[in-house]
Amino acid sequence: MTVNKALSELVKRGLIERRRKSGSYVSFPQAQSAVMEIHEVKREVQSLGLDYAYRLGERVVRKMTSGDKGRIDLPGSSRLLDITCSHFAGGRVFCLEERLINLSAVPEAETETFEAAAPGSWLLGKVPWSTAEHRIRAVAASRTTAQALEIAIGAACLVIERRTWSGGVPVTSVLLTYPGDRHELIAEFAPSATA
């Protein structure tokens, strides 16, 4: 009876989940990130008490295409660094990052390999940003996304699309895709002053 009571309390706190006819299992902690700030995925993972790892997938310098226009507002002849990478928490894929970097705003990014450090952390240390925009949406995992996140095709995902500018110049656009059952967003705000 005491063990059952203790297990029930752990379920309430979200630390374990019980499965009928299967047993009790440790829950994968839910990550939280603030909506109104630029956060580093590494810090998110570390705040969960999990080991962090990063892996670069693809890194390509290329010219802007018409498909990029919706993500980053630059002239058609602009050069971009297109990066895809994965972030891991406790050995599991935590987040897929797909990033475009404006090479005219951040020319040193062209020679950076991004093999050791994630581009988000690198950019925060190199480029002061003045404006940012977040768009948040739920999507069903495509075949490519499902494979990258090691989830089922069609599984719910949370996508945070962020664009940043420095002095009015577009710096980067990033899509951060999380498995929907492992991430939540938190926003703190206060009422605005009335005249």
Side-chain angles (χ1 to χ4, degrees), residues 2-13:
T2 304
V3 171
N4 191 35
K5 195 182 247 186
L7 288 174
S8 295
E9 184 61 31
L10 291 173
V11 169
K12 275 189 209 174
R13 293 182 185 186

Side-chain angles (χ1 to χ4, degrees), residues 48-159:
L48 297 170
L50 297 171
D51 291 331
Y52 171 80
Y54 157 80
R55 183 172 62 220
L56 178 66
E58 193 172 331
R59 182 193 177 286
V60 178
V61 174
R62 63 176 177 81
K63 287 202 173 185
M64 187 133 151
T65 66
S66 58
D68 298 325
K69 242 344 188 177
R71 287 187 56 195
I72 192 163
D73 190 21
L74 294 169
S77 61
S78 298
R79 295 175 67 243
L80 299 172
L81 178 58
D82 187 344
I83 299 173
T84 302
C85 54
S86 300
H87 301 268
F88 296 83
R92 292 175 71 186
V93 182
F94 181 74
C95 174
L96 173 65
E97 178 177 337
E98 300 167 279
R99 184 179 294 273
L100 300 175
I101 299 173
N102 175 7
L103 288 175
S104 66
V106 193
E108 59 270 32
E110 187 167 0
T111 57
E112 177 60 42
T113 65
F114 295 107
E115 289 177 3
S121 300
W122 185 87
L123 282 165
L124 283 171
K126 294 279 185 188
V127 183
W129 60 277
S130 57
T131 310
E133 172 188 88
H134 280 145
R135 290 180 187 208
I136 302 156
R137 64 184 179 274
V139 300
S142 66
R143 182 180 304 281
T144 305
T145 301
Q147 186 176 9
L149 293 174
E150 299 174 357
I151 58 176
I153 296 170
C157 293
L158 179 69
V159 176

Side-chain angles (χ1 to χ4, degrees), residues 3-4 7-8 10-11 15-27:
V3 171
N4 191 35
L7 288 174
S8 295
L10 291 173
V11 169
L15 299 173
I16 67 168
E17 62 181 79
R18 284 182 151 169
R19 297 182 193 154
R20 184 175 285 262
K21 296 185 181 181
S22 180
S24 298
Y25 298 88
V26 175
S27 296

Side-chain angles (χ1 to χ4, degrees), residues 20-54:
R20 184 175 285 262
K21 296 185 181 181
S22 180
S24 298
Y25 298 88
V26 175
S27 296
F28 193 87
Q30 287 241 335
Q32 299 178 351
S33 63
V35 179
M36 307 307 279
E37 65 184 49
I38 294 180
H39 62 278
E40 289 184 71
V41 177
K42 181 177 182 177
R43 286 192 182 163
E44 280 183 68
V45 171
Q46 290 172 336
S47 74
L48 297 170
L50 297 171
D51 291 331
Y52 171 80
Y54 157 80

